[in-house]
Amino acid sequence: MGLVMRKTSKWWYGRYKVDGREYVKNLRVEIRGTRPVSLKDSGSVHFENSRGEAQAALDKLLDVVHSSKSETQLAEAIYEARSGQKLKRYAVKDITQIWIDKPRKKPPSEQHSKQVTSRLNRLVSYLNTHYPKISRVDQLRPIHIQAFLDNLEQSGVTAETWNKYLVPIKTALKRAGVPAAREILQKETDTVSRHPFTVEELQAIFEAAKKTEPLIYTLSVTAACTAMRKKDCCFLQWDNVDLDEGFITVKTSKTGQVVDIPLADILRDEILKQQGKHPEYVFPEAAQLYQTNANGISYRFKKVLEVAGFDTGKNRSHTELKNDQCSLEELQQAIEVSFSGQKKKRVKSVVSVYLTGMGIKPTAKATGFSPSTVSSYLNELESATGKAIIRGKRRPMEKIPKPTRGAMRTKRENGLNKASLRDFHSFRTTFVTLALMRGMPLDIVRKITGHQTADIVMKHYFRPQREQLRNAMQNSMPGLLTCSTRQLKTPIDQAIEILRTLDLNVSQNDLQAKIDKALNLLQGVSV
């Protein structure tokens, strides 16, 4: 054991053995002065001074190595010998802050930071409860982190959620120089993919949204025609829209990919309606709602799905969520007739804010009134007009309609919450599935959706249903290799059978739904 001088390095090194294994460590002491040919010889004064400093550093390291100090202290000594600086000790309560302070090329979103902070705070709370004697991060061992993760698993979280806890824990502990989670591997996930909507289901959703949620109708059309995510739909800007060329060009919020999307006629119509409303955003009401309550859009869309006949999985009540389309001008006229004086002015201000898509509480905050006052004004206006103005208000129904379409959620094999099968993001799956089934090249689909690889598109978004696969195979393969022994009915035959078997005793809604289905089948038939 002793000092080592390397020809190609300006640093002193120390050689020593532990349990028969030899180590050579950089002592972080710089060699100064004129070097001798061999360490057996003497060098200049400056050289000998640096030799003395290096020997002192080596002696300090050897004292730690051969002492009865803990494994943690030995690791700290080696870290200090390597880096030339003391290992910073963090308190357990600082784990969240360690993750926040990590240098990044791009700062995490506010929502992501909030989620990660919540998960790391849960870890800190668990450690404080079950291991109160552990106060520093460097005292953590794999058994402590594994115990927390086991507790998560026992609570019923999915493998995906389990992984979402593990990743920031690894990040924070690695930055603190603590290997407690280094050997813990992520779990295999059992992803439940969203189901695409059929063309008939899309039309039903559009009709339900038109009747109950005009804002959601606009966003639904945008998502269905462009495959854009909810946030990108809400914050679509006029600079991204080229009405002359018929294209939308956006940089996706999630992947940062710039995509060009042809403008469908139905979407063009919705965009034209928005001209002059806002200088920046195409859909200013949606942008404002997303900023104040991003989950509110998802909640309102689920209510539209319920109106369209999708199964919520809950017992359907004797009430319905009804919202009549009312323009600001129409309600202003009703206010002129039904109210007077200062109250008329107050009701007008409430209605003008509420019709932008804000809820009762945000409207109250914006107008300076109490929520109960806002609610009272809107209820009085409903009584005066006979219109269902208040969104989310349940109203009595004469008959409880049964679900006529698929489930919105399904149970997981593991996990507390049900997995979503049909929600706003299903528009993205729908676009990919319909485009590929109709023959659009995969690379074009990938460019429109903004995915970096075709694998992601095929793995997560291409979800054809059985009937779509059967029809595609029937149209593409020779009869010998298809189900030609059981001939598929043409759209005309299917429509005739639906109309022939109509039951006139069913409700008006069910009767109209069957007629619409028959008409939809006939729309694709050329005469």
Side-chain angles (χ1 to χ4, degrees):
M1 295 188 295
L3 295 175
V4 176
M5 181 175 60
R6 294 177 175 174
K7 292 182 180 181
T8 58
S9 176
K10 66 177 182 178
W11 302 105
W12 284 102
Y13 290 80
R15 179 186 287 115
Y16 61 94
K17 287 185 178 181
V18 176
D19 297 330
R21 182 178 177 181
E22 185 174 279
Y23 294 87
V24 178
K25 302 296 181 185
N26 188 334
L27 299 174
R28 309 304 295 181
V29 176
E30 188 172 355
I31 299 173
R32 302 188 298 275
T34 304
R35 303 186 186 193
V37 177
S38 170
L39 285 180
K40 294 179 181 180
D41 302 324
S42 298
S44 66
V45 175
H46 291 300
F47 176 84
E48 293 303 323
N49 287 340
S50 68
R51 190 210 294 254
E53 294 173 15
Q55 187 62 53
L58 177 59
D59 292 341
K60 181 179 178 181
L61 177 59
L62 293 177
D63 287 341
V64 176
V65 170
H66 296 295
S67 69
S68 58
K69 291 185 177 181
S70 68
E71 177 186 338
T72 300
Q73 291 172 310
L74 177 58
E76 290 179 4
I78 295 175
Y79 176 86
E80 292 172 16
R82 286 179 174 176
S83 63
Q85 58 186 8
K86 291 187 69 66
L87 178 65
K88 186 175 181 179
R89 293 189 176 187
Y90 296 92
V92 167
K93 64 181 178 62
D94 296 330
I95 289 178
T96 302
Q97 194 61 42
I98 296 171
W99 182 87
I100 293 173
D101 294 340
K102 180 182 181 295
R104 296 176 174 86
K105 291 182 180 179
K106 181 181 177 182
S109 66
E110 181 180 349
Q111 183 178 5
H112 179 64
S113 296
K114 186 177 180 180
Q115 292 172 343
V116 172
T117 298
S118 174
R119 291 167 188 146
L120 292 178
N121 286 341
R122 183 171 177 176
L123 168 67
V124 172
S125 176
Y126 177 87
L127 294 173
N128 289 338
T129 301
H130 294 82
Y131 303 100
K133 293 184 179 180
I134 296 179
S135 59
R136 300 194 316 271
V137 175
D138 58 275
Q139 293 175 310
L140 291 175
R141 296 293 179 269
I143 189 174
H144 304 137
I145 305 302
Q146 190 63 59
F148 169 71
L149 295 172
D150 289 344
N151 180 263
L152 277 180
E153 189 171 10
Q154 291 170 8
S155 70
V157 301
T158 63
E160 183 179 4
T161 302
W162 193 90
N163 290 339
K164 287 179 179 178
Y165 275 88
L166 176 60
V167 170
I169 291 174
K170 279 177 168 282
T171 300
L173 295 186
K174 181 179 180 181
R175 187 162 188 266
V178 177
R182 185 173 57 194
E183 302 298 327
I184 302 176
L185 302 178
Q186 294 191 38
K187 289 181 176 291
E188 292 288 337
T189 58
D190 51 343
T191 305
V192 178
S193 300
R194 290 174 174 84
H195 289 189
F197 299 118
T198 65
V199 175
E200 186 270 334
E201 288 173 342
L202 282 177
Q203 292 176 334
I205 292 169
F206 291 164
E207 290 174 7
K210 265 187 176 180
K211 294 177 181 178
T212 61
E213 289 281 4
L215 175 61
I216 299 301
Y217 170 74
T218 299
L219 293 178
S220 298
V221 168
T222 305
C225 294
T226 64
M228 291 197 301
R229 295 177 176 87
K230 178 173 63 177
K231 183 177 181 180
D232 294 328
C233 292
C234 292
F235 290 104
L236 180 65
Q237 299 183 3
W238 287 111
D239 290 342
N240 304 133
V241 180
D242 187 343
L243 291 172
D244 294 332
E245 293 294 329
F247 270 89
I248 293 175
T249 302
V250 295
K251 184 177 183 180
T252 60
S253 59
K254 183 175 180 180
T255 64
Q257 297 289 308
V258 177
V259 298
D260 291 319
I261 307 169
L263 197 58
D265 291 341
I266 187 175
L267 177 56
R268 177 191 288 272
D269 293 341
E270 288 303 306
I271 290 177
L272 290 174
K273 294 177 185 177
Q274 306 299 320
Q275 287 185 322
K277 288 188 176 181
H278 195 274
E280 182 179 6
Y281 295 119
V282 178
F283 309 122
E285 296 176 23
Q288 184 178 20
L289 180 58
Y290 192 96
Q291 289 172 331
T292 56
N293 181 16
N295 292 329
I297 295 174
S298 298
Y299 174 81
R300 288 164 65 172
F301 180 70
K302 289 177 182 177
K303 296 302 178 185
V304 168
L305 289 184
E306 184 177 2
V307 173
F310 289 91
D311 188 2
T312 63
K314 300 178 180 179
N315 294 328
R316 298 172 77 88
S317 64
H318 291 268
T319 60
E320 65 175 334
L321 292 170
K322 183 182 178 183
N323 183 233
D324 295 327
Q325 290 193 44
C326 300
S327 65
L328 179 60
E329 293 75 14
E330 182 182 356
L331 293 181
Q332 295 283 22
Q333 292 176 1
I335 294 171
E336 290 289 342
V337 175
S338 306
F339 301 92
S340 61
Q342 289 297 316
K343 186 173 183 180
K344 179 196 297 184
K345 185 178 179 180
R346 293 195 297 269
V347 175
K348 281 186 176 181
S349 65
V350 166
V351 170
S352 63
V353 173
Y354 185 75
L355 287 188
T356 64
M358 298 179 71
I360 288 181
K361 288 185 178 180
T363 299
K365 186 176 181 180
T367 56
F369 302 126
S370 68
S372 60
T373 299
V374 171
S375 177
S376 175
Y377 286 166
L378 294 175
N379 275 291
E380 286 185 54
L381 193 57
E382 280 195 349
S383 299
T385 61
K387 297 279 190 178
I389 300 170
I390 303 175
R391 298 183 298 273
K393 180 179 179 180
R394 292 197 168 274
R395 308 169 195 279
M397 296 177 64
E398 295 180 2
K399 185 178 180 180
I400 307 174
K402 295 181 179 179
T404 57
R405 295 184 172 87
M408 293 163 56
R409 299 188 301 167
T410 185
K411 290 184 178 180
R412 300 178 185 267
E413 290 185 13
N414 299 300
L416 295 174
N417 299 323
K418 291 183 177 180
S420 182
L421 291 177
R422 295 174 175 87
D423 57 16
F424 195 88
H425 201 70
S426 294
F427 285 124
R428 197 163 166 82
T429 306
T430 301
F431 182 95
V432 170
T433 301
L434 292 178
L436 292 177
M437 293 300 295
R438 299 296 176 92
M440 184 181 291
L442 176 57
D443 193 51
I444 298 296
V445 174
R446 180 185 66 78
K447 288 179 180 178
I448 292 176
T449 59
H451 290 111
Q452 294 182 348
T453 66
D455 289 343
I456 296 177
V457 177
M458 298 303 293
K459 181 179 180 181
H460 297 289
Y461 291 94
F462 184 48
R463 289 286 177 271
Q465 301 301 297
R466 284 186 171 183
E467 201 58 37
Q468 290 174 308
L469 288 172
R470 192 203 311 276
N471 292 336
M473 185 172 177
Q474 187 75 10
N475 294 331
S476 304
M477 301 292 287
L480 178 64
L481 303 179
T482 64
C483 49
S484 56
T485 56
R486 194 182 73 181
Q487 291 293 330
L488 295 177
K489 296 179 180 178
T490 66
I492 293 178
D493 291 337
Q494 294 178 52
I496 291 174
E497 184 174 347
I498 291 174
L499 296 174
R500 184 186 295 123
T501 58
L502 281 178
D503 183 359
L504 300 179
N505 294 322
V506 299
S507 68
Q508 184 66 30
N509 289 339
D510 289 344
L511 184 63
Q512 187 62 48
K514 287 187 175 294
I515 294 174
D516 290 343
K517 185 175 182 180
L519 292 175
N520 292 336
L521 288 168
L522 294 173
Q523 281 182 353
V525 179
S526 58
V527 181

